């Protein structure tokens, strides 16, 4: 039952060719918000010379390079480095997780913290590379997919989406029954996950004999989101295309015509069918216009530092060479690949329960894990719990001590804890971190946990990184609407001296948040305003302070579901009069952002938010621009007020 060399090559080639066909079909139709209406497209809407680049494929070229350069043992931390070195665009979760990496957070925290898009399609689209290097070995493919997914989607449904795809595609090297493949993929993810529910809904509709359009509407109703990239609904649409497709073209068209993230669903279905039938199963009608060229965003600078294969043949040969090494490391040859390894292992199931707020470090016979119990964001006066978990693989008892080292002005209880670690045993040591003076909280606050083992080689420190929470001042709720001015709007500069903000605690009630103002602290970009309204319509005002080390043009946004008006340093810079759909990314949403000029030093933002009859949600975003290359700002202070500085009122603590 094994694979021949020619079959392996053909299936891998078919994977990339089918993915390119499906992506080219769906790319021109993709939108950021999903629509109830179906598409009616049965041929390529656009065939530009040179092809259409797609992150679905080109990110996997980066992972291939990582495998070639760093070996088969690559993990989330290695892939994170390639994100920073090779991927220049920053839309949605791509940009948000890179902000976390630049501030010092390692995976999986990089994908979990402050990432509104962790349930979106950025990682399920990257599964094929892992399936192709582990043909017929879905547990290996699933482990690679997990390491990939947690870099930018940890804790989200998207992790399950990538594992499902990788397992199904790996099994497709030895199984051609599409229903059976879906069942295998489902066995690799938790049955209660939203991803599994959407896929089972599609499978159930197919087995009940529903028309594919009715199946699509059923899946959409049960897994609805306004965001076109929402992962569970797209995995359901992908399953519809796979099961209902009468042939290759019909399958990718039905997946795409379901709508939402059209390039992703079409590309994945095309890849699966390419693996099942090999390159010969893809009709020339669809393949000839595509040729075998690889088109990436490298020509526009979206991908950098990449040794790009010239064509699908070179890509396939490179992937097969890595696959040979993976199989050899598992003691399996191509001739031995069959359907006996398709059952999900306990090791894979253990991935389902891995918390996204932990960082683990292997030091030979001891594994140390840092658990950020309360997350990585800190605020003055609030306790933040941190656990250090030690697990031994040693054959004898170990004695030692764990000591936390923190920035100046921070306290830890206890500072150090001795321990006895039994052979093969484990222990959890609980610490509480606190900082009272907000002047001692910076953008990124770096410390360490030192594990000392008695009569053992030196271990080295484990990094501890805490980020400053975001601080706002909020008014009480007032009656009125966007056009009803209140006294706050008549006194936009609270110091009354022409400055953007108070210069010291003596400059007024803002320093202690009195006289109708209260302090809001948020661990991330979300501004928790709904509670301010008490469930009633009305208006609240919000003040926020930003220290910029230089004058610069930035993109500033208040992505929200509510009407709002926004001022910077006393000048109105933007308003949105309509209610919106929340989509808090770095590049903008064509409603909630404006290009503004930050001045060197402290800047004051004032936001007037309006609630009508429905609950409201809002975020506050700063970035370098209004396109897919927009970077998050990692050098501006938003974690304290100007009067909370360490040395004086205009210089942030360093």
């Amino acid at each position: 039952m094994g694979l021949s060399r020619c079959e392996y090559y053909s299936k891998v080639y078919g994977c990339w060719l089918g993915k390119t066909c499906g992506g080219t079909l769906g790319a021109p139709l993709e939108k950021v918000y999903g629509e109830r209406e179906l598409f009616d497209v049965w041929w390529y809407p656009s065939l530009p010379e040179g092809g259409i680049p797609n992150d679905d494929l080109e990110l996997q070229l980066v992972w291939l390079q990582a495998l070639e350069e760093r070996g088969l043992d690559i993990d989330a931390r290695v892939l994170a480095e390639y994100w920073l070195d090779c991927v220049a665009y920053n839309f949605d979760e791509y940009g948000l997780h890179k902000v976390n990496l630049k501030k010092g957070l390692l995976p999986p925290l990089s994908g979990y913290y402050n990432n509104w898009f962790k349930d979106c399609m950025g990682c399920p689209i990257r599964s094929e590379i892992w399936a192709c290097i582990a043909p017929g070995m879905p547990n290996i493919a699933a482990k690679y997919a997990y390491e990939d997914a947690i870099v930018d989607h940890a804790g989200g449904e998207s992790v399950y989406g990538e594992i499902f795809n990788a397992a199904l595609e790996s099994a497709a090297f030895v199984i051609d029954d599409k229903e059976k493949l879906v069942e295998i993929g489902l066995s690799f993810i938790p049955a209660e996950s939203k991803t599994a529910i959407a896929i089972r809904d599609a499978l159930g509709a197919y087995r009940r004999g529903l028309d594919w359009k009715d199946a699509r509407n059923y899946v959409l109703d049960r897994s609805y989101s306004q965001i076109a990239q929402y992962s569970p609904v797209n995995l359901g649409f992908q399953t519809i295309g796979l099961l209902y497709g009468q042939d290759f073209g019909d399958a990718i068209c039905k997946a795409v015509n379901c709508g939402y993230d059209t390039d992703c669903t079409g590309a994945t279905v095309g890849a699966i069918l390419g693996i099942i039938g090999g390159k010969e199963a893809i009709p020339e009608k669809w393949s000839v216009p595509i040729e075998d060229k690889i088109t990436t965003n490298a020509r526009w600078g979206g991908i950098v530092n990449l040794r790009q294969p010239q064509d699908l043949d070179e890509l396939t040969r490179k992937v097969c060479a890595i696959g040979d090494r993976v199989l050899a490391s598992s003691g399996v040859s191509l001739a031995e690949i069959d359907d006996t390894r398709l059952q999900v292992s306990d090791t894979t199931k253990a991935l389902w329960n891995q918390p996204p707020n932990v960082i683990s470090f292997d030091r030979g016979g001891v594994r140390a894990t840092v658990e950020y119990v309360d997350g990585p964001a800190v605020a003055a006066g609030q306790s933040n719990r941190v656990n250090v978990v030690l697990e031994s693989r040693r054959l004898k008892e170990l004695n030692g001590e764990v000591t936390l080292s923190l920035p100046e002005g921070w306290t830890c209880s206890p500072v150090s804890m001795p321990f006895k670690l039994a052979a093969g045993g484990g222990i959890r040591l609980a610490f509480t971190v606190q900082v009272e003076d907000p002047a001692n909280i910076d953008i990124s606050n770096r410390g360490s946990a030192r594990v000392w083992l008695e009569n053992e080689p030196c271990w080295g420190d484990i990094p501890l990184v805490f980020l400053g929470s975001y601080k706002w001042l909020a008014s009480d709720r007032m009656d009125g609407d966007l056009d009803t001015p209140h006294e706050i709007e008549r006194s936009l500069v609270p110091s009354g001296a022409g400055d953007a903000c108070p210069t010291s605690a003596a400059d007024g009630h803002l320093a202690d948040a009195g006289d109708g103002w209260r302090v809001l602290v948020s661990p991330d970009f979300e501004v928790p305003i709904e509670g301010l309204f008490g469930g009633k319509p009305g208006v609240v005002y919000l003040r926020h302070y930003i220290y910029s080390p230089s004058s610069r043009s930035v993109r500033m946004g208040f992505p929200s579901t509510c009407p709002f008006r926004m001022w910077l340093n006393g000048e109105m810079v933007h308003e949105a009069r309509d209610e919106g759909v929340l989509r808090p990314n770095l590049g903008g949403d064509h409603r909630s952002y404006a290009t503004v000029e930050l001045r060197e030093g402290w800047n004051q933002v004032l936001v007037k938010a309006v609630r009508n009859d429905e609950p409201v949600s809002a975020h506050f975003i700063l970035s370098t621009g209004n396109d897919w290359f927009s970077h998050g700002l990692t050098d501006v202070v938003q974690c304290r007020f100007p009067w909370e500085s360490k040395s004086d009122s205009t210089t942030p603590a360093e």
Side-chain angles (χ1 to χ4, degrees):
M1 287 187 62
L3 288 176
S4 70
R5 172 61 53 186
C6 289
E7 288 173 326
Y8 184 33
Y9 173 91
S10 177
K11 287 175 177 288
V12 174
Y13 192 108
C15 171
W16 303 122
L17 180 58
K19 190 170 185 72
T20 303
C21 292
T24 301
L25 175 71
L29 305 176
E30 183 185 8
K31 300 179 181 180
V32 295
Y33 299 111
E35 297 178 350
R36 284 282 180 180
E37 295 76 17
L38 288 86
F39 289 111
D40 187 24
V41 175
W42 303 96
W43 181 242
Y44 295 122
S46 176
L47 280 171
E49 184 176 353
I52 300 176
N54 199 330
D55 56 321
D56 299 43
L57 174 60
E58 63 195 12
L59 290 175
Q60 299 189 75
L61 304 182
V62 177
W63 301 168
L64 172 61
Q65 183 166 316
L67 285 161
E68 292 178 326
E69 293 177 344
R70 304 289 285 275
L72 303 184
D73 292 332
I74 61 170
D75 58 12
R77 290 178 201 166
V78 172
L79 295 175
E81 295 173 5
Y82 280 81
W83 270 108
L84 295 176
D85 292 350
C86 299
V87 185
Y89 43 65
N90 292 302
F91 36 82
D92 297 344
E93 59 265 50
Y94 297 170
L96 293 176
H97 95 272
K98 281 197 277 182
V99 171
N100 293 334
L101 290 173
K102 292 175 182 178
K103 287 184 177 181
L105 296 182
L106 289 168
L109 271 176
S110 60
Y112 177 65
Y113 169 73
N114 202 13
N115 181 5
W116 191 85
F117 295 92
K118 54 181 174 284
D119 292 330
C120 290
M121 283 294 286
C123 70
I125 62 176
R126 309 193 300 252
S127 59
E128 288 81 17
I129 181 70
W130 315 125
C132 287
I133 65 171
M137 306 188 74
N139 285 290
I140 294 177
K143 180 60 166 67
Y144 277 118
Y146 172 81
E147 293 291 334
D148 178 11
I150 63 173
V151 181
D152 57 340
H153 293 84
E157 285 290 326
S158 307
V159 176
Y160 302 136
E162 183 167 0
I163 292 174
F164 171 86
N165 278 347
L168 184 157
E169 290 160 346
S170 175
F173 277 88
V174 294
I175 293 284
D176 60 8
D177 184 318
K178 293 185 287 187
E179 288 186 64
K180 181 64 175 177
L181 287 173
V182 172
E183 291 175 345
I184 291 171
L186 283 170
S187 71
F188 276 75
I189 62 176
E192 69 277 9
S193 66
K194 295 177 181 178
T195 302
I197 291 171
I199 295 166
R200 284 202 308 272
D201 284 345
L203 178 60
Y206 175 75
R207 287 175 170 171
R208 293 196 305 273
L210 269 65
D211 175 83
W212 75 270
K213 295 180 181 179
D214 292 333
R216 181 262 189 187
N217 291 333
Y218 177 68
V219 170
L220 180 59
D221 288 342
R222 297 253 298 166
S223 300
Y224 179 72
S225 172
Q226 292 176 294
I227 303 302
Q229 290 72 36
Y230 181 58
S231 177
V233 72
N234 283 291
L235 268 291
F237 290 170
Q238 163 194 308
T239 304
I240 289 172
L242 179 65
L243 296 178
Y244 281 89
Q246 299 300 307
D247 54 37
F248 177 84
D250 189 58
I252 62 174
C253 286
K254 283 176 177 172
V256 166
N257 284 332
C258 284
Y260 277 62
D261 205 345
T262 49
D263 64 326
C264 298
T265 55
T268 300
V269 171
I272 295 170
L273 295 176
I275 295 173
I276 292 174
K279 62 180 294 190
E280 297 80 8
I282 299 177
E284 292 185 358
K285 169 187 175 181
W286 292 96
S287 64
V288 169
I290 300 299
E291 300 180 327
D292 67 344
K293 304 302 181 186
I294 296 176
T295 301
T296 71
N297 282 295
R299 68 173 87 171
W300 295 290
I303 297 291
V304 297
N305 301 321
L306 174 67
R307 297 192 312 274
Q308 180 178 319
Q310 295 301 307
D311 51 34
L312 295 183
D313 172 70
E314 182 182 356
L315 170 60
T316 300
R317 294 181 185 279
K318 284 176 172 286
V319 170
C320 289
I322 296 292
D324 288 339
R325 292 167 55 192
V326 171
L327 293 174
S329 69
S330 302
V332 179
S333 68
L334 275 177
E336 297 171 309
I337 293 295
D338 55 29
D339 60 359
T340 60
R341 299 175 179 84
L342 304 185
Q343 184 174 354
V344 62
S345 69
D346 290 339
T347 301
T348 297
K349 289 181 179 180
L351 300 176
W352 302 349
N353 301 315
Q354 292 298 310
N357 61 333
V358 304
I359 308 291
S360 296
F361 301 84
D362 271 318
R363 295 291 194 270
V366 177
R367 177 182 176 87
T369 298
V370 175
E371 298 177 342
Y372 290 82
V373 180
D374 299 310
V378 296
Q382 296 182 1
S383 297
N384 197 296
R385 293 169 294 168
V386 178
N387 295 334
V388 177
V389 180
L390 301 176
E391 301 168 272
S392 175
R393 293 187 289 266
R394 298 288 295 274
L395 303 178
K396 68 173 186 178
E397 181 182 80
L398 297 173
N399 297 323
E401 187 174 48
V402 173
T403 302
L404 265 58
S405 177
L406 299 170
E408 179 183 355
W410 291 47
T411 61
C412 182
S413 178
V415 175
S416 62
M417 293 185 69
F419 64 83
K420 290 184 179 294
L421 186 58
I427 190 171
R428 175 177 277 102
L429 308 176
F431 298 85
T432 300
V433 172
Q434 192 159 345
V435 54
E436 293 297 333
D437 188 348
N440 291 320
I441 299 177
D442 289 320
I443 303 164
S444 179
N445 308 270
R446 307 193 180 199
S448 63
R450 173 162 294 178
V451 181
W452 174 78
L453 296 175
E454 184 179 279
N455 298 321
E456 293 288 332
C458 182
W459 236 51
D461 293 349
I462 298 170
L464 288 176
V465 179
F466 299 94
L467 307 183
S469 293
Y470 298 84
K471 301 185 71 171
W472 294 77
L473 294 174
S475 74
D476 293 332
R477 187 195 69 83
M478 307 173 189
D479 293 329
D481 56 24
L482 194 64
D483 294 318
T484 302
H486 294 84
E487 184 63 28
I488 293 171
E489 294 181 45
R490 301 188 183 100
S491 180
L492 294 174
V493 183
S495 68
D499 295 326
C501 53
T503 56
S504 72
D507 278 328
H509 60 268
L510 290 178
D512 58 10
D515 296 342
W517 292 90
R518 71 187 74 179
V519 176
L520 288 183
V521 177
S522 176
D524 50 34
F525 288 162
E526 183 176 5
V527 186
I529 62 174
E530 171 60 23
L532 301 173
F533 290 98
K536 301 177 182 179
V539 171
V540 297
Y541 288 88
L542 303 158
R543 291 194 194 276
H544 185 56
Y545 296 93
I546 303 165
Y547 182 90
S548 175
S550 62
S551 299
R552 68 179 86 178
S553 177
V554 303
R555 192 74 168 164
M556 185 169 74
F558 192 72
S560 59
T561 61
C562 63
F564 71 91
R565 188 170 287 163
M566 185 163 57
W567 292 262
L568 176 64
N569 297 330
E571 178 184 353
M572 194 183 85
V573 293
H574 192 65
E575 71 173 13
R577 305 190 66 84
D578 59 330
E579 295 180 339
V581 178
L582 190 63
R583 191 182 178 88
N585 60 19
L586 299 179
D589 61 4
H590 305 292
R591 169 191 177 269
S592 311
Y593 296 68
T595 299
V596 300
E597 298 297 323
L598 287 182
R599 63 194 190 186
E600 182 180 350
W602 285 104
N603 297 261
Q604 177 189 258
V605 176
L606 177 68
V607 177
K608 179 182 185 179
V610 179
R611 186 190 192 276
N612 294 319
D613 295 325
E614 298 296 325
V616 295
S617 300
H619 286 61
F620 183 75
I621 304 285
L622 291 173
S623 69
T624 60
N626 62 351
D627 58 21
W628 49 324
F629 291 101
S630 299
H631 292 265
L633 302 183
T634 58
D635 62 345
V636 295
V637 177
Q638 299 175 260
C639 56
R640 58 181 177 273
F641 300 129
W643 51 89
E644 295 175 331
S645 296
K646 180 178 293 186
S647 55
D648 59 58
S649 61
T650 59
T651 304
E654 297 294 343

